[in-house]
């Protein structure tokens, strides 16, 4: 979407676009630079595996640069998806017809909604067409690309439609339910169906009433009586104008109010998933190296804590070792991570372990105090040397278990990708959502889009 501004101060949407662009470019720079290090001999093959993800990140930067909003129409066959898009365009560009399956492949057309907005409209085949697996993949690709989804029905929603609607919701995109072909229903029936759709959305928590719009994209021709100047009369078929204004205005309101933020959020969510895939592939590629690294730090921590006589230094040294392990794993996987981010991740691991690691810290401190007491009194009573050795052995075992548990948990978290940090995708998503106004369509997505903390 391209919006003219009279002020040099960037709007919130432009700020979101800039932050999203910076985030994705930083990720590309980090991964590219680290995977091309000359001392990493296995990186060449890994780069080939990760090429689709790098291409995806590059395409997201290009999309942010172009500022074009993608709106995709989904629905079952014969619901009038193509007709709805034609009505928005104001001309019949996409093929329509009475037979099922007129649209066989996805097709996109440019829509200049007004002098401020540029939109790509994407027409899709019916979700219940043949070649289910291929169509499913096609629908998934388009749903990921889209910034806004139109789901077209032509009556009471069926079970198949509801299942398709729920699946589209999983892509975390704003969605408008379009009730098409309202000209085929008497006013009473039309209102009853509209009410049912509203109640369904409210009951299932899928959408708000203002996200359901009634249209007649390609009204059925009407036979009208015509009287000519010579006094003769007859009948002709006339096609009424499409009833599309409400949908068009709703789309324009969304785009003018939050279009750039939608574009930024969608790019960041896709970038998040690409980085998770990069991390997952890299973690799998270096599984044995990671296991060796975890065991190395486990041994270091156990030996250091066993030999150190000061309990408080044991706890501090244990934290430092765990932090160093997390950062070492991140470097092994070529994932960006600062000391602050490693500390935040360690805190998350400790408090999400169900008290297991907190208990480990308490036990370690308990035995550390016993070890310290034995060390202080060892000169007075040689028996205390044995007490020290016993406490040190137990404490070393506890510390080793904790370090290994932290390493294993860190692998799971790192496999999701390093999307935190100042310009991380998760951080920027959180910033955008935190500034979302309650009356916007993005606000409805806050819970779904809230990134992992």
């Amino acid at each position: 979407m391209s919006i003219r501004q009279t002020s040099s101060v960037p709007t919130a949407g432009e700020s979101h676009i800039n932050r999203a662009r910076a985030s994705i470019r930083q990720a590309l720079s980090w991964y590219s630079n680290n995977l091309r290090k000359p001392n990493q001999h296995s990186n060449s093959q890994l780069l080939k595996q990760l090429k689709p993800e790098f291409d995806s990140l590059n395409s997201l930067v290009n999309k942010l640069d172009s500022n074009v909003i993608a709106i995709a129409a989904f629905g079952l066959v014969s619901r009038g998806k193509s007709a709805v898009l034609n009505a928005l365009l104001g001309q019949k560009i996409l093929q329509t017809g009475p037979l099922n399956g007129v649209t066989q492949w996805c097709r996109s057309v440019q829509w200049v909604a007004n002098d401020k907005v540029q939109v790509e409209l994407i027409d899709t085949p019916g979700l219940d067409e043949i070649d289910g697996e291929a169509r499913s993949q096609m629908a998934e690709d388009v749903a990921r690309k889209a910034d806004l989804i139109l789901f077209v029905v032509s009556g009471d929603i069926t079970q198949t439609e509801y299942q398709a609607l729920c699946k589209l919701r999983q892509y975390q995109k704003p969605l408008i339910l379009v009730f098409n072909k309202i000209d085929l229903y008497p006013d009473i029936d039309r209102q009853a169906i509209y009410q049912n759709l509203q109640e369904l959305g409210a009951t299932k928590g899928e959408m708000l009433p203002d996200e359901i719009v009634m249209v007649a994209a390609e009204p059925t021709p009407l036979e009208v009586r015509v009287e000519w100047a010579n006094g003769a009369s007859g009948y002709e078929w006339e096609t009424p104008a499409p009833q599309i204004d409400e949908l068009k205005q709703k789309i324009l309101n969304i785009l003018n109010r939050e279009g750039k933020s939608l574009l930024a959020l969608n790019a960041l969510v896709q970038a998040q998933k690409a980085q998770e895939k990069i991390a997952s592939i890299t973690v799998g590629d270096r599984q044995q190296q990671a296991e060796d690294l975890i065991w190395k730090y486990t041994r270091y921590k156990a030996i250091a804590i066993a030999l150190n006589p000061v309990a408080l230094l044991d706890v501090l040294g244990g934290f430092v070792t765990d932090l160093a392990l997390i950062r070492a794993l991140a470097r092994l996987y070529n994932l960006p991570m600062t000391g602050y981010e490693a500390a935040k991740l360690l805190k998350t691991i400790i408090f999400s372990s169900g008290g297991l690691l907190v208990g480990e810290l308490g036990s370690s401190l308990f035995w550390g105090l016993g070890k310290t007491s034995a060390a202080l009194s060892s000169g007075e009573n040689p028996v205390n040397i044995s007490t020290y050795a016993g406490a040190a052995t137990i404490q070393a075992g506890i510390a080793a278990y904790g370090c290994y548990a932290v390493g294993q948990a860190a692998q799971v978290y790192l496999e999701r990708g390093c999307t935190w940090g100042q310009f991380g995708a998760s951080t920027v998503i959180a910033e955008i959502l935190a500034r979302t106004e309650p009356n916007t369509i993005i606000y409805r997505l806050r819970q779904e889009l809230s990134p992992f903390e």
Side-chain angles (χ1 to χ4, degrees), residues 17 20-29 54-67 263 267-268 271:
I17 289 283
R21 186 187 294 112
S23 173
I24 298 171
R25 283 178 174 167
Q26 176 186 260
L28 276 168
S29 175
F54 288 137
D55 290 344
S56 174
L57 291 174
N58 277 310
S59 68
L60 289 173
V61 172
N62 293 334
K63 183 179 181 183
L64 290 173
D65 289 338
S66 67
N67 283 334
L263 184 60
L268 288 166

Side-chain angles (χ1 to χ4, degrees), residues 176-196:
I176 298 174
L177 181 62
V178 181
F179 173 19
N180 188 27
K181 303 187 180 182
I182 59 172
D183 57 301
L184 301 181
Y185 298 92
D187 187 62
I188 294 178
D189 293 344
R190 177 195 313 165
Q191 291 300 325
I193 294 172
Y194 181 65
Q195 184 66 32
N196 288 343

Side-chain angles (χ1 to χ4, degrees), residues 181-185 216-223 237-241 243:
K181 303 187 180 182
I182 59 172
D183 57 301
L184 301 181
Y185 298 92
E218 197 173 51
T220 302
L222 300 175
E223 190 177 28
W237 291 94
E238 290 186 1
T239 301
Q243 300 176 40

Side-chain angles (χ1 to χ4, degrees), residues 295-360:
W295 277 113
K296 182 174 77 172
Y297 275 83
T298 298
R299 289 193 297 270
Y300 287 166
K301 183 176 179 180
I303 293 170
I305 285 182
L307 296 177
N308 177 56
V310 183
L312 292 178
L313 290 180
D314 285 343
V315 175
L316 180 60
F319 271 117
V320 171
T321 304
D322 291 343
L323 289 174
L325 170 58
I326 291 173
R327 295 196 69 182
L329 284 170
R331 285 194 298 272
L332 175 66
Y333 298 144
N334 295 305
L335 299 176
M337 176 170 284
T338 64
Y340 170 78
E341 292 154 7
K344 185 177 179 182
L345 176 55
L346 178 58
K347 178 182 175 182
T348 301
I349 292 172
I350 290 174
F351 287 102
S352 65
S353 65
L356 200 61
L357 292 178
V358 175
E360 178 256 319

Side-chain angles (χ1 to χ4, degrees), residues 118-346:
Q118 294 182 30
V119 178
E120 177 188 15
L121 297 177
I122 306 174
D123 194 17
T124 65
L127 293 171
D128 53 341
E129 281 279 26
I130 57 173
D131 300 329
E133 186 174 342
R135 291 292 168 85
S136 177
Q137 184 60 51
M138 185 190 305
E140 180 178 339
D141 293 341
V142 174
R144 292 192 188 282
K145 177 182 178 182
D147 302 297
L148 176 65
I149 290 174
L150 306 180
F151 191 80
V152 183
V153 298
S154 58
D156 260 334
I157 194 166
T158 66
Q159 183 65 28
T160 302
E161 285 175 322
Y162 181 69
Q163 291 172 351
L165 181 63
C166 290
K167 188 170 183 179
L168 286 172
R169 277 292 188 194
Q170 295 174 5
Y171 296 106
Q172 303 170 327
K173 303 297 175 66
L175 185 148
I176 298 174
L177 181 62
V178 181
F179 173 19
N180 188 27
K181 303 187 180 182
I182 59 172
D183 57 301
L184 301 181
Y185 298 92
D187 187 62
I188 294 178
D189 293 344
R190 177 195 313 165
Q191 291 300 325
I193 294 172
Y194 181 65
Q195 184 66 32
N196 288 343
L197 293 175
Q198 287 185 318
E199 291 176 358
L200 176 67
T203 302
K204 301 294 184 179
E206 295 294 342
M207 61 193 64
L208 298 175
D210 63 354
E211 294 172 356
I212 304 171
V213 183
M214 293 193 293
V215 303
E218 197 173 51
T220 302
L222 300 175
E223 190 177 28
V224 297
R225 187 173 184 274
V226 180
E227 294 185 359
W228 289 281
N230 61 4
S233 64
Y235 290 89
E236 291 183 351
W237 291 94
E238 290 186 1
T239 301
Q243 300 176 40
I244 201 72
D245 289 346
E246 183 182 353
L247 176 61
K248 181 182 290 188
Q249 192 57 52
K250 183 172 292 295
I251 291 173
L252 291 178
N253 288 341
I254 291 172
L255 299 185
N256 283 318
R257 183 181 60 210
E258 51 190 311
K260 288 195 173 184
S261 296
L262 281 175
L263 184 60
L265 273 175
N266 184 32
L268 288 166
V269 169
Q270 292 186 72
Q272 214 178 24
K273 296 185 184 304
Q275 291 180 69
E276 288 172 2
K277 188 69 177 294
I278 290 172
S280 177
I281 292 173
T282 307
V283 167
D285 182 71
R286 296 178 180 172
Q287 184 63 43
Q288 187 55 53
Q289 293 171 269
E291 191 71 16
D292 294 341
L293 189 65
I294 292 171
W295 277 113
K296 182 174 77 172
Y297 275 83
T298 298
R299 289 193 297 270
Y300 287 166
K301 183 176 179 180
I303 293 170
I305 285 182
L307 296 177
N308 177 56
V310 183
L312 292 178
L313 290 180
D314 285 343
V315 175
L316 180 60
F319 271 117
V320 171
T321 304
D322 291 343
L323 289 174
L325 170 58
I326 291 173
R327 295 196 69 182
L329 284 170
R331 285 194 298 272
L332 175 66
Y333 298 144
N334 295 305
L335 299 176
M337 176 170 284
T338 64
Y340 170 78
E341 292 154 7
K344 185 177 179 182
L345 176 55
L346 178 58

